[in-house]
Amino acid sequence: MDIIIGYIIPFLIILSVVVFVHEYGHYWVARRNGVRVEVFSIGFGPELLGFNDKHGTRWKLSAIPLGGFVKMLGDADETSARPDATTSREPDSFPAKSVLQRMAIVGAGPAANFLFAIVVLSILFVFSGRPFTPAVVGEVTAGSPAAAAGLEPGDRISAVDGAEVDSFESLQGMVRDQAEVPLAFTIERDGEVFEVTVTPALNEIEDRFGNTHRVGLVGISRSGVEFRRSNPGMAVFEATSETVRMVTATLGALGEMIVGSRGTEELGGPLRIAQMSGTIAQDGLVPAIWFTAVLSINLGLINLFPIPMLDGGHLVLYTIEAARGRPLGERSQEMAFRVGLAMVLTLMIFATWNDLVQMNIIKFFTDLIS
């Protein structure tokens, strides 16, 4: 029961929110373009409860809460992979709309996720404030690169290799990926400014969710955390910048995984998200809201990947259609969606396997057998 209340319920609430936002983006733009939406579902499989609105849309909650879909008139199934032969020619069907209208409808899901995150983060920055830590040394670990370079508690680090440091978080970002690379730290101490060379040491650290990361560390701790509230205008700008930063960091991490310079153990699936949802929800409402915004950004980004079955794959096919003046042949589209389905299933299986390994579930069963 504790697991259900502490982990499963927060997971279902947070995931349902970001899925609803995503699907409502599709729904809203589809309705604005005159498309009849037949089904709006949170989850897959058998319907648990639902109702019909005045426009004929069936709004429902389904048994498998790992996603959702909007089925529009003219779609043969929930994926919009192929048109329905009997309804696709009707003027209020999805296939009957122009390629630009269809691209707008498909792109509206990820766009809604990004917009939702910006709004949520903006509200948090106005009312709760944004975590901020001055780049001031709190403690220096004995025998660390910082100690070897002569850093002392109270030192303010104003720049690294000439790049301005405005917070301890930005300093961590500069050092994290520079393990064993000499860096020039600009130090302010007792009214004096000077430079020292610090070479971050390569370390493996484990976060609160059991993920292991290989990072560069210099051996200093922060002096304290402040929360700075923003005015509404600045909050929107900061929230947008934070969203862009998260997207850029995620793409950078995926690029490193592809080229092999970063491990793939950080990829997580539903089990890891459930674990993180429960852990963060126990910290309070504000961290849970923050995590919901982060998950919304990731859902929007993943759906933009150019993989058939995902929104990004649809956008690629519609771009080809716009360039050719006609869609790809039915067989070509069918093959593309089969490949896309295989890729999505493979990624889900791999991510779930990572979850089982990171959460020591595989080890548990292995120990039982042995």
Side-chain angles (χ1 to χ4, degrees):
M1 184 60 69
D2 290 342
I3 294 178
I4 293 177
I5 296 175
Y7 290 91
I8 295 179
I9 291 179
F11 165 67
L12 293 179
I13 292 174
I14 291 173
L15 184 63
S16 295
V17 168
V18 297
V19 168
F20 177 85
V21 168
H22 181 90
E23 300 304 335
Y24 192 80
H26 293 310
Y27 169 84
W28 191 85
V29 176
R31 292 284 303 147
R32 296 304 174 278
N33 282 275
V35 176
R36 189 195 312 172
V37 179
E38 297 182 320
V39 180
F40 187 115
S41 177
I42 300 299
F44 300 97
E47 177 180 326
L48 298 179
L49 55 94
F51 67 93
N52 292 328
D53 68 12
K54 63 181 180 180
H55 302 293
T57 302
R58 181 67 178 175
W59 296 74
K60 64 180 185 177
L61 185 66
S62 299
I64 305 174
L66 298 178
F69 64 89
V70 169
K71 184 179 182 300
M72 291 169 271
L73 182 66
D75 289 337
D77 53 37
E78 295 85 353
T79 65
S80 299
R82 54 191 177 86
D84 178 76
T86 59
T87 60
S88 61
R89 295 184 182 277
E90 296 188 23
D92 55 351
S93 71
F94 177 72
K97 301 303 175 180
S98 70
V99 65
L100 291 180
Q101 287 176 304
R102 281 178 278 141
M103 291 178 75
I105 294 169
V106 169
N113 283 124
F114 295 134
L115 181 60
F116 171 78
I118 291 171
V119 171
V120 169
L121 292 177
S122 298
I123 294 173
L124 287 178
F125 292 166
V126 169
F127 292 101
S128 286
R130 187 177 187 182
F132 172 80
T133 309
V136 176
V137 178
E139 295 181 359
V140 179
T141 303
S144 67
L151 266 66
E152 299 177 359
D155 286 349
R156 178 177 293 273
I157 303 169
S158 59
V160 173
D161 281 349
E164 182 181 355
V165 175
D166 56 10
S167 67
F168 199 89
E169 289 80 10
S170 64
L171 173 64
Q172 288 177 313
M174 294 175 177
V175 169
R176 181 184 182 91
D177 298 324
Q178 300 296 321
E180 302 178 340
V181 177
L183 301 174
F185 278 38
T186 302
I187 308 298
E188 298 177 7
R189 179 191 298 167
D190 298 329
E192 297 183 9
V193 179
F194 56 93
E195 283 193 358
V196 296
T197 299
V198 183
T199 303
L202 178 63
N203 285 263
E204 290 190 353
I205 62 173
E206 186 174 292
D207 63 24
R208 61 189 296 193
F209 307 110
N211 301 318
T212 301
H213 308 271
R214 292 167 59 86
V215 300
L217 298 176
V218 298
I220 59 175
S221 63
R222 64 190 73 199
S223 60
V225 178
E226 304 172 1
F227 283 86
R228 293 185 174 179
R229 294 185 179 181
S230 305
N231 62 60
M234 184 57 68
V236 172
F237 173 78
E238 291 175 346
T240 303
S241 299
E242 184 68 15
T243 300
V244 172
R245 187 196 66 78
M246 290 184 191
V247 168
T248 303
T250 301
L251 291 176
L254 289 174
E256 292 173 0
M257 291 179 190
I258 291 173
V259 300
S261 61
R262 188 173 188 152
T264 57
E265 64 276 357
E266 296 177 43
L267 287 175
L271 295 178
R272 191 91 59 91
I273 296 173
Q275 179 195 30
M276 296 172 70
S277 300
T279 302
I280 292 174
Q282 293 172 18
D283 293 339
L285 181 61
V286 170
I289 294 174
W290 182 281
F291 180 69
T292 303
V294 173
L295 191 59
S296 184
I297 292 170
N298 280 278
L299 179 62
L301 178 60
I302 290 172
N303 269 278
L304 285 177
F305 289 171
I307 299 174
M309 295 293 292
L310 300 181
D311 294 332
H314 286 286
L315 290 174
V316 170
L317 293 178
Y318 295 150
T319 300
I320 294 173
E321 178 181 343
R324 298 175 76 235
R326 64 184 188 280
L328 291 175
E330 185 175 334
R331 180 172 176 79
S332 297
Q333 292 191 51
E334 183 178 349
M335 288 297 296
F337 281 107
R338 286 184 179 181
V339 171
L341 177 60
M343 293 174 68
V344 170
L345 290 177
T346 300
L347 182 60
M348 287 183 62
I349 292 171
F350 181 76
T352 302
W353 175 263
N354 268 353
D355 292 349
L356 296 173
V357 172
Q358 293 292 328
M359 298 169 69
N360 292 321
I361 297 176
I362 296 296
K363 184 177 184 299
F364 172 77
F365 285 105
T366 301
D367 291 345
L368 284 180
I369 295 173
S370 59

